[in-house]
Amino acid sequence: MAERVISVFGGSAARPGDSDWRGAESLGRRMAQAGWAVATGGYGGIMEAVSLGAAQAGGHVIGVTCDEIEVWRTVSPNGWIQEQVRVPRLRDRLIRLIEMGRALVAFPGGVGTLSEVALSWSMLQTQTLTRRPLVLVGEVWSRMMSAFLDSAGGYVAPSDREMLSFQPDGEQAAEFILRHLSPS
């Protein structure tokens, strides 16, 4: 498995041509051009867009797929995956994706994406995960986190708030990540 990996989360409902799809595809392409592998949950939507962008740029694409998801919903891994990491349970998939990424990126999505962001942030806060960028892409994250943080009062420390980076699109997310990750 590649060591220079970024993990990308996002909804399966994104479709080719959507702005989120285009942003995810751009992020995948930019990261691959810079020598980074991408890891996703391995299915459609944002996961497929990132995989497509990276694969077309000659990058390595990892898909962390899960038995429980395929029992719950009829899906298959996307065709751009070059390395499939198969796990039995959803929680194994979450942990695997979070731990393998030297940066963590979330595009808009549903409940699964929200859980990926929350668990990533919690693991960074408790230092069970070494410090790394947690990048939230799109206006939806800015609005949602602003509402949460404003209503949380003193429950969320300023140092915990600083763990989050908000970027408007995939291109700017890629720029942010490349500025913050060393070429090691």
Side-chain angles (χ1 to χ4, degrees), residues 89-168:
R89 295 182 312 245
L90 182 58
R91 66 179 162 257
D92 301 326
R93 179 176 179 246
L94 292 172
I95 297 296
R96 193 70 168 267
L97 275 168
I98 291 167
E99 288 180 342
M100 76 171 43
R102 296 227 344 246
L104 308 167
V105 181
F107 281 84
V111 174
T113 307
L114 180 60
S115 67
E116 290 160 340
V117 169
L119 185 57
S120 296
W121 194 14
S122 182
M123 290 175 71
L124 287 167
Q125 176 197 41
T126 60
Q127 298 177 7
T128 56
L129 189 65
T130 58
R131 191 70 181 246
R132 61 198 68 194
L134 176 53
V135 182
L136 307 180
V137 180
E139 182 62 28
V140 67
W141 287 116
S142 296
R143 287 192 320 266
M144 184 172 59
M145 288 300 196
S146 178
F148 169 70
L149 293 170
D150 290 347
S151 66
Y155 289 109
V156 181
S159 60
D160 295 335
R161 293 170 186 241
E162 292 169 4
M163 293 177 186
L164 303 175
S165 169
F166 297 93
Q167 299 298 324

Side-chain angles (χ1 to χ4, degrees), residues 43 65-72 86-90:
Y43 298 108
T65 59
C66 175
D67 296 335
E68 282 183 343
I69 287 178
E70 292 179 23
V71 167
W72 171 64
R86 186 82 178 171
V87 296
R89 295 182 312 245
L90 182 58

